[in-house]
Amino acid sequence: MTVGVYPGSFDPFTVGHLDVLTNAAGLFDLVYVAVLHNVDKRPTFTVQERMEMIRNVLAAEKLDNVRCGTFDGLLVEYAKSVQATHIVRGLRATSDFEYEFQIDAVNRHLDNSLRTVYFMASPGHSFLSSSNVKEIGLWGGSIKGLVPEINEDIIRERLARK
Ligand code: PNS
């Protein structure tokens, strides 16, 4: 069985993330979305909120071969714990490359049996990031089409309370 891990902060999960995840779900038998639980990053949404929203999406999109988990510490250890052979990441623009290049080098140093596969963002998502969504939402702009519809109200209301 082929198992992939799609890690990230997902603060919050966007339609760009969904695009990558849908591609990964078509490639692997099983995919784990691994939500980083890292207080140092000062996320806007709690890990429980982020996981709940991702689970809403999995149910709505009928992504039956995808599970959602959380991890703390090294990604390679989490990948090992779920017997994953591959890490999944998305690439939007060349500006992502340097960052991903570094992450890949560190992960290879830690576990050279793991490989990362990358999906290019759909052209319409190349500008999209969780940070953009938060900035737009905090200032009362429309986040329609930027986050999965099922989570739109939750995210809008939550950002309005900040
Ligand atoms: O969506 P993000 O925040 O860009 O994802 C970054 C993530 C979670 C993939 C990366 O920070 C990570 O893997 N963190 C866990 C700690 C770790 O394993 N570090 C070594 C690789 S940099």
Side-chain angles (χ1 to χ4, degrees):
M1 185 163 82
T2 56
V3 181
V5 172
Y6 180 28
S9 303
F10 305 118
D11 187 40
F13 192 86
T14 68
V15 294
H17 293 133
L18 177 58
D19 183 27
V20 171
L21 181 60
T22 305
N23 284 315
L27 185 66
F28 295 101
D29 295 324
L30 182 61
V31 178
Y32 287 87
V33 181
V35 180
L36 179 68
H37 181 47
N38 182 349
V39 280
D40 296 345
K41 280 209 168 189
R42 293 179 169 271
T44 300
F45 295 88
T46 66
V47 80
Q48 287 77 17
E49 287 173 323
R50 286 177 276 155
M51 289 177 73
E52 198 177 313
M53 288 192 278
I54 291 168
R55 289 188 174 130
N56 288 343
V57 175
L58 302 186
E61 299 294 324
K62 299 189 173 38
L63 288 167
D64 298 331
N65 64 334
V66 182
R67 313 270 178 273
C68 181
T70 180
F71 77 107
D72 193 354
L74 293 176
L75 173 61
V76 294
E77 295 302 331
Y78 180 80
K80 208 180 293 173
S81 75
V82 295
Q83 287 160 6
T85 53
H86 290 81
I87 295 166
V88 172
R89 296 283 288 170
L91 282 175
R92 287 163 301 187
T94 48
S95 50
D96 281 342
F97 180 80
E98 196 71 29
Y99 178 56
E100 295 301 330
F101 187 73
Q102 284 180 28
I103 294 181
D104 181 61
V106 174
N107 286 335
R108 282 188 196 223
H109 166 77
L110 294 170
D111 183 347
N112 199 29
S113 68
L114 263 177
R115 283 292 174 268
T116 304
V117 294
Y118 303 89
F119 289 102
M120 294 299 293
S122 296
H125 298 152
S126 54
F127 72 97
L128 179 57
S129 68
S130 298
S131 307
N132 285 343
V133 167
K134 286 187 279 191
E135 188 159 357
I136 294 167
L138 281 169
W139 292 104
S142 171
I143 57 168
K144 195 175 171 52
L146 305 183
V147 296
E149 200 176 346
I150 189 135
N151 293 327
E152 217 179 282
D153 290 346
I154 302 171
I155 295 171
R156 187 185 315 102
E157 283 162 22
R158 182 71 167 63
L159 291 174
R161 275 194 278 129
K162 269 200 66 99

